[in-house]
């Protein structure tokens, strides 16, 4: 299969070489010289070892094989002699998914060849008069090959549609089966008919004890004493190891804290880490011990693989419950200060919950395999349901009376509600519904409590290990890593683990209440694989890849921007406006490229985005004109740069410095320290005064009037001397003092000078006026009246 997937790439390479060779050829004819070898080899043949003819037969065989498999699956769905269980339907669904993948692969490969051969046909061109017979033959062969490729593409699409249709039928059967199970009604246990049916099932019930015949399957209760005693032994051994394991991790925690921090943990300190670690280790121990005992005593001989794998798959969870222990969990999370009373009220809950989880798994497997008479199975399930809910109500009652736990009354009410509903359903004959209710209650409560414990333990671990004053933070600070960065890593790590736990909880909810580890793992995998909707693949796997791409792009773009701003730009003569424009354009182009890469990774093509483009066109036509106008105006501002960052501009009576230009708006810093955000379209459609666009130099001017009796020459020299001594005035070009007017009331002298920035004009003008007044007073020159 991998070789076939590489064929389109090889064909594209060969096609490019042929196109290049034909494009640089100087001969008017595509045919080779007479007598030369390969005079008719434009179209690859099977003898060449590549081309469509080398894979068409393989693709046709794949299509035929997939269609035969679909016929077989459809035949299995239409059988009337057996009842298809959920396990069988799940297996059929997986096979259909494989066929859908084959159909998609066939379409992709054939479409790649179609593109290449279409290029060949375009090279030859349309038919013209007087062309050689070789070109006519090649065109005919290309058209025949293209027709064959199109036929294969069509068959691949048809195969995909057929697989989708059969998959919908499988899903419908599964839904109908589940609905039929929940709505199944048999004789009520309160009636004589129920017990009469149970008595009639006596011979069938005896078959459940039957040994294997001719290496076949045995009855579900075959060799049950050995299985029962083995399970009891595994549970007892794990329970004996649970408490020492817990205290071992608790002691190790104290030693680690004392060694690395010097602190001594009190004996009654609350910690979730030893509880969670003890549960995980006990889960592993229980699984390993069960596998050893099962192999030593051959407990799986004659049993269905689903039955054997189901028991082994639930052992880690049972061991985790015994190892962590709900009493230890309640003692660690007590919010009312009554930890010891809570532990006494919940005494034995860990044993009950682990046994209930095991029994639930066994009953579910027996139901899937149809390995037990219906009435007897329903009776056992009904007894199990009532026992579970009665014990749950009793536990809540003890917890409410012996402690001040605030959540206990609410849970107590829920327990009574479930007990009433289940009892009514059993009395009416809906035993399957009552059992399904109990299964969901156990699965959701146990999984939520276990995953919550792991989440709390992980949060405690990250807060201790990566906090600001932790050992790792102090060690990394010597390497230049800020302590806040270490704390952020701890928060992110805890968040990632919590997301993973949420995904596991969702998988448990989708696994019909099954707590078997392999079943939950398959559900998690199906969540990551996802499904295709309108040609777009939706899956957690794709989402994770897209998020990773965005994170890497964020840091990569930021690092390159910093390099441009801090390293490259200081070595150039670019002003701040040009630098800002380059940085903005680079950021927008880079993020557009990243967005296209993410869409490509998600499998979104232009064809998939047709409806998005249509919606955007309607939105632009009705309400997004201003946004589009501002975006286009921003691109014009960044490209043509009529205003730049740092320019002093005046727009509609607003005067200030340009602080930032984006594709939508421009930020202007006003004189009072505030910032005004102006849409970019106003800079294109309105008149804008840019005081710094032409040159960086600005003129400062002032006028002084002296008495007509004063010495104008002396005043002019004194003022000129004052101007040449000022540091805030440019001396090149030199300042000037000229007589601008002579009247009966006075002689007006005009002072002019150049300053480096327009922002300094006001301050320099004021300083010149003050110095001019001082110089004239010191020279004894009388001021006159301005005309």
């Amino acid at each position: 299969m991998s070789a076939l997937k590489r064929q389109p790439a090889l064909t594209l390479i060969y096609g490019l070489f042929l196109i290049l060779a034909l494009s640089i050829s100087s001969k008017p004819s595509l045919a080779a010289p007479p007598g030369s070898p390969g005079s008719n080899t434009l179209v690859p043949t099977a003898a060449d070892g590549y081309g469509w003819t080398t894979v068409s037969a393989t693709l046709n065989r794949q299509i035929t094989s997939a269609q035969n498999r679909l016929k077989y699956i459809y035949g299995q769905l239409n059988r009337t002699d057996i009842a298809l269980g959920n396990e069988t339907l799940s297996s059929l669904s997986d096979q259909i998914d494989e066929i859908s993948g084959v159909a998609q692969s066939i379409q992709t490969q054939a479409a790649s060849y179609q593109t290449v051969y279409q290029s060949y046909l375009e090279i030859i061109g349309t038919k013209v008069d007087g062309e050689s017979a070789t070109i006519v033959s090649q065109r005919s062969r290309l058209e025949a090959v293209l027709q064959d490729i199109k036929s294969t593409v069509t068959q691949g699409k048809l195969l995909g549609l057929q697989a989708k249709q059969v998959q919908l039928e499988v899903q419908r059967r599964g839904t109908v089966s589940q609905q039929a199970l929940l709505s199944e009604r048999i004789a009520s246990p309160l009636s004589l008919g129920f017990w009469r049916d149970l008595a009639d099932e006596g011979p069938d019930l005896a078959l459940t004890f039957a040994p294997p015949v001719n290496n076949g399957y045995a009855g579900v209760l075959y060799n049950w004493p050995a299985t029962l005693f083995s399970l009891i032994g595994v549970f007892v051994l794990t329970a004996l190891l649970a408490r020492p394991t817990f205290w071992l991790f608790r002691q190790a925690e104290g030693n680690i804290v004392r060694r690395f921090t010097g602190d001594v943990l009190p004996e009654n300190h609350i910690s979730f880490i030893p509880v969670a670690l003890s549960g995980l280790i006990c889960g592993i121990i229980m699984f390993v011990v069960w596998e050893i005992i099962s192999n030593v005593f051959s407990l799986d001989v004659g049993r269905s693989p689903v039955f054997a794998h189901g028991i082994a798959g639930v052992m880690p969870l049972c061991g985790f419950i015994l190892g962590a222990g709900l009493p230890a969990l309640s003692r660690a999370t007590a919010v009312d200060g009554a930890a010891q009373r809570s532990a006494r009220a919940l005494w034995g809950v860990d044993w009950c919950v682990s046994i209930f989880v095991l029994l639930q798994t066994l009953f579910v497997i027996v139901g899937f395999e149809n390995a037990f008479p219906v009435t007897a199975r329903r009776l056992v399930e009904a007894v199990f349901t009532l026992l579970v809910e009665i014990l749950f109500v009793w536990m809540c009652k003890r917890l409410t009376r012996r402690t001040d736990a605030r959540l206990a009354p609410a849970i107590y009410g829920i327990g009574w509600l479930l007990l009433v509903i289940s009892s009514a359903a059993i009395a009416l004959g809906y035993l399957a519904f009552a059992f399904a209710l109990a299964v969901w209650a156990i699965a959701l409560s146990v999984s939520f409590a276990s995953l919550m414990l792991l989440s709390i333990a992980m949060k405690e671990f990250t807060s201790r290990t990566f906090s600001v004053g932790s050992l790792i933070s102090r060690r990394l600070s010597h390497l230049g890593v800020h302590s806040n960065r270490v704390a952020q890593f701890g928060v992110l790590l805890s968040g990632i683990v919590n997301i993973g736990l949420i995904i596991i909880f969702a998988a448990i909810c989708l696994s019909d209440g099954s707590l078997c580890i392999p079943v939950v793992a398959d559900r998690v995998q199906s969540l990551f694989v996802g499904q295709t909707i309108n040609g777009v693949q939706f899956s957690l796997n794709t989402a994770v890849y897209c998020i990773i791409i965005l994170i890497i792009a964020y840091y990569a773009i930021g690092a390159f921007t910093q390099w441009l701003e801090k390293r490259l730009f200081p070595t150039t003569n670019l002003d701040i406006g040009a630098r800002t424009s380059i940085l903005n354009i680079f950021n927008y182009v880079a993020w557009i490229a990243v967005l296209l890469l993410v869409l490509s990774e998600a499998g979104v093509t232009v064809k998939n985005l047709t409806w998005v483009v249509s919606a955007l066109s309607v939105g632009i036509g009705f309400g997004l004109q201003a946004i589009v106008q501002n975006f286009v105006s921003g691109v014009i501002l960044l490209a043509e740069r009529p205003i730049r960052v740092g320019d002093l501009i005046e727009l509609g009576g607003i005067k200030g410095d340009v602080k930032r230009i984006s594709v939508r708006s421009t930020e202007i810093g006003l004189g009072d320290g505030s910032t005004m955000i102006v849409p970019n379209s106003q800079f294109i459609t309105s008149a804008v005064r840019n005081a710094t666009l032409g040159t960086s130099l600005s003129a400062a001017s002032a006028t002084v009037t002296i008495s007509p009796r004063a010495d104008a020459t002396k005043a002019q020299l004194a003022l000129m001397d004052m101007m040449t001594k000022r540091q805030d005035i440019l001396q090149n070009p030199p300042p000037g003092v000229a007589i601008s007017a002579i009247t009966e009331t006075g002689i007006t002298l005009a002072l002019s000078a150049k300053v480096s920035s327009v922002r300094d004009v006001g301050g320099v003008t004021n300083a010149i006026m003050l110095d001019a007044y001082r110089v004239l007073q010191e020279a004894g020159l009388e001021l006159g009246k301005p005309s």
Side-chain angles (χ1 to χ4, degrees):
M1 179 64 69
S2 60
L4 290 177
K5 291 182 178 178
R6 291 193 295 265
Q7 284 292 337
L10 295 174
T11 305
L12 288 173
I13 294 175
Y14 293 139
L16 291 175
F17 276 111
L18 287 173
I19 293 172
L20 179 62
L22 291 172
S23 61
I24 63 176
S25 177
S26 60
K27 294 182 178 299
S29 176
L30 293 174
S36 63
S39 59
N40 196 18
T41 58
L42 177 61
V43 182
T45 62
D48 297 325
Y50 61 92
W52 170 252
T53 54
T54 60
V55 297
S56 60
T58 303
L59 295 182
N60 289 331
R61 284 195 300 269
Q62 290 180 359
I63 293 174
T64 303
S65 175
Q67 288 176 342
N68 292 333
R69 290 176 62 188
L70 276 180
K71 292 179 180 178
Y72 168 77
I73 294 173
Y74 192 74
Q76 292 295 315
L77 290 175
N78 291 328
R79 289 182 62 180
T80 57
D81 56 333
I82 59 173
L84 298 180
N86 292 338
E87 192 70 25
T88 303
L89 292 175
S90 177
S91 176
L92 295 178
S93 178
D94 293 339
Q95 296 181 41
I96 296 173
D97 288 338
E98 294 178 2
I99 295 174
S100 299
V102 172
Q104 186 66 33
S105 175
I106 291 172
Q107 295 178 49
T108 302
Q109 295 182 63
S112 300
Y113 281 99
Q114 184 178 1
T115 302
V116 174
Y117 279 87
Q118 189 67 41
S119 300
Y120 289 162
L121 192 59
E122 291 176 357
I123 293 173
I124 294 179
T126 59
K127 183 177 181 180
V128 296
D129 296 335
E131 61 185 4
S132 64
T134 302
I135 296 179
V136 174
S137 174
Q138 290 177 352
R139 183 184 295 108
S140 301
R141 187 175 179 184
L142 281 172
E143 291 175 349
V145 172
L146 278 173
Q147 188 65 30
D148 186 29
I149 295 175
K150 292 178 181 179
S151 175
T152 303
V153 172
T154 303
Q155 293 180 25
K157 292 180 179 179
L158 179 60
L159 178 63
L161 292 176
Q162 291 173 342
K164 184 177 181 180
Q165 184 177 6
V166 178
Q167 183 71 276
L168 291 176
E169 178 65 19
V170 171
Q171 294 175 358
R172 189 189 66 81
R173 292 288 183 90
T175 304
V176 171
S177 176
Q178 186 68 18
Q179 292 175 351
L181 178 65
L182 296 178
S183 61
E184 177 192 53
R185 184 179 182 183
I186 61 177
S188 171
L190 303 179
S191 64
L192 294 177
F194 177 86
W195 301 101
R196 187 182 303 110
D197 294 338
L198 182 62
D200 293 339
E201 290 180 351
D204 295 333
L205 187 61
L207 294 178
T208 59
F209 298 91
V213 178
N214 297 329
N215 296 326
Y217 289 137
V220 68
L221 295 180
Y222 165 71
N223 199 19
W224 66 270
T227 304
L228 178 61
F229 284 112
S230 298
L231 290 173
I232 294 175
V234 171
F235 272 71
V236 171
L237 179 61
T238 306
L240 292 176
L241 295 176
R243 186 63 61 180
T245 304
F246 170 74
W247 286 111
L248 178 64
F249 281 112
R250 191 176 178 87
Q251 187 68 26
E253 179 191 24
N255 295 334
I256 293 173
V257 172
R258 183 171 59 254
R259 178 178 179 182
F260 289 100
T261 64
D263 300 331
V264 178
L265 294 177
E267 290 294 333
N268 59 348
H269 78 281
I270 297 175
S271 179
F272 301 95
I273 299 177
V275 177
L277 291 177
S278 174
L280 293 175
I281 295 301
C282 288
I284 297 174
I285 291 175
M286 186 173 236
F287 173 75
V288 173
V289 172
W290 170 256
E291 287 292 317
I292 293 174
I293 293 178
S294 177
N295 291 328
V296 170
F297 293 98
S298 302
L299 298 178
D300 56 346
V301 174
R303 300 192 185 278
S304 169
V306 177
F307 189 85
H309 295 163
I311 296 179
V314 82
M315 283 297 169
L317 180 58
C318 295
F320 178 84
I321 296 173
L322 289 177
L326 294 182
L329 178 62
S330 67
R331 181 166 58 250
T333 58
V335 293
D336 54 2
Q340 296 299 326
R341 288 187 296 160
S342 300
R344 287 194 295 269
L346 295 173
W347 181 83
V349 171
D350 48 356
W351 273 95
C352 292
V353 171
S354 59
I355 293 174
F356 286 157
V357 168
L358 175 63
L359 292 177
Q360 169 192 316
T361 303
L362 293 177
F363 293 154
V364 171
I365 294 174
V366 168
F368 280 155
E369 293 294 305
N370 294 320
F372 213 74
V374 176
T375 306
R377 187 175 84 237
R378 295 297 181 224
L379 177 61
V380 174
E381 292 174 352
V383 173
F384 171 79
T385 300
L386 293 177
L387 181 62
V388 168
E389 294 177 354
I390 290 173
L391 288 177
F392 181 76
V393 172
W394 175 72
M395 180 200 69
C396 292
K397 184 177 181 180
R398 288 184 58 186
L399 191 64
T400 304
R401 289 183 175 182
R402 298 189 181 186
T403 68
D404 299 327
R406 291 189 289 269
L407 292 178
I411 300 177
Y412 186 41
I414 295 175
W416 265 110
L417 179 63
L418 292 176
L419 179 59
V420 171
I421 294 176
S422 299
S423 301
I426 292 173
L428 295 175
Y430 294 99
L431 281 72
F433 172 77
F435 176 70
L437 197 62
V439 167
W440 276 102
I442 294 175
L444 295 182
S445 58
V446 171
S447 61
F448 180 79
S450 302
L451 297 177
M452 183 61 69
L453 173 61
L454 294 176
S455 175
I456 295 173
M458 189 64 192
K459 181 180 179 181
E460 181 184 349
F461 170 75
T462 54
S463 61
R464 286 186 180 183
T465 307
F466 303 103
S467 60
V468 175
S470 63
L471 176 64
I472 293 180
S473 178
R474 294 197 302 269
R475 294 288 178 86
L476 292 178
S477 63
H478 298 303
L479 301 177
V481 180
H482 198 274
S483 58
N484 289 335
R485 295 292 185 185
V486 179
Q488 290 174 4
F489 174 77
V491 174
L492 290 175
L493 180 60
S494 177
I496 292 173
V497 173
N498 288 335
I499 292 174
L501 296 177
I502 293 174
I503 293 174
I504 294 175
F505 184 74
I508 293 174
C509 295
L510 295 175
S511 61
D512 298 330
S514 176
L515 293 174
C516 185
I517 302 300
V519 175
V520 176
D522 290 339
R523 291 297 181 181
V524 172
Q525 183 181 4
S526 66
L527 287 177
F528 275 91
V529 172
Q531 56 182 339
T532 302
I533 302 177
N534 291 331
V536 180
Q537 182 77 13
F538 290 91
S539 65
L540 290 175
N541 192 20
T542 304
V544 170
Y545 284 151
C546 294
I547 292 174
I548 292 175
I549 291 174
L550 292 175
I551 294 175
I552 295 176
Y554 173 79
Y555 286 103
I557 293 174
F560 190 75
T561 301
Q562 289 292 326
W563 180 80
L564 288 175
E565 188 174 1
K566 304 296 183 182
R567 299 291 301 274
L568 181 62
F569 286 161
T571 62
T572 64
N573 295 325
L574 296 174
D575 55 44
I576 185 173
R579 298 179 183 183
T580 304
S581 298
I582 293 174
L583 290 177
N584 287 334
I585 293 174
F586 167 73
N587 276 279
Y588 291 129
V589 172
W591 279 113
I592 290 174
V594 171
L595 178 60
L596 294 176
L597 179 61
V598 169
L599 293 177
S600 175
E601 182 66 28
V604 179
T605 62
V606 177
K607 182 180 179 180
N608 302 131
L609 293 177
T610 303
W611 64 274
V612 178
V613 175
S614 301
L616 286 177
S617 61
V618 175
I620 291 173
F622 284 98
L624 301 179
Q625 302 98 327
I627 296 177
V628 175
Q629 185 180 11
N630 290 326
F631 178 82
V632 175
S633 300
V635 174
I636 295 174
L637 292 179
L638 292 174
E640 296 185 356
R641 300 175 61 208
I643 61 172
R644 300 166 296 182
V645 174
D647 287 356
L648 179 65
I649 65 171
E650 184 175 354
L651 173 65
I654 301 171
K655 186 176 182 180
D657 296 322
V658 178
K659 297 174 60 177
R660 180 176 176 269
I661 302 175
S662 65
V663 294
R664 191 193 67 84
S665 61
T666 298
E667 298 178 5
I668 300 177
L670 304 181
D672 58 358
S674 62
T675 300
M676 176 167 286
I677 301 175
V678 181
N680 288 331
S681 59
Q682 294 192 19
F683 293 94
I684 303 300
T685 59
S686 303
V688 181
R689 180 176 177 269
N690 192 334
T692 56
L693 180 60
T695 176
S696 60
L697 302 181
S698 297
S701 60
T703 58
V704 177
T705 303
I706 59 176
S707 173
R709 296 180 298 275
D711 188 350
T713 303
K714 181 179 179 181
Q716 189 175 13
L717 293 174
L719 293 174
M720 189 64 188
D721 182 63
M722 178 271 295
M723 298 277 283
T724 56
K725 292 180 180 180
R726 293 196 60 83
Q727 299 294 328
D728 52 1
I729 293 177
L730 298 178
Q731 301 302 318
N732 186 20
V737 179
I739 299 175
S740 62
I742 301 177
T743 63
E744 295 179 354
T745 58
I747 302 172
T748 301
L749 301 176
L751 291 74
S752 62
K754 295 292 185 179
V755 294
S756 59
S757 176
V758 69
R759 295 169 184 82
D760 301 331
V761 172
V764 173
T765 301
N766 183 66
I768 290 175
M769 293 292 292
L770 292 175
D771 284 351
Y773 176 76
R774 177 184 55 80
V775 168
L776 293 176
Q777 290 293 328
E778 291 176 354
L781 298 172
E782 182 183 358
L783 297 178
K785 299 180 181 180
S787 56

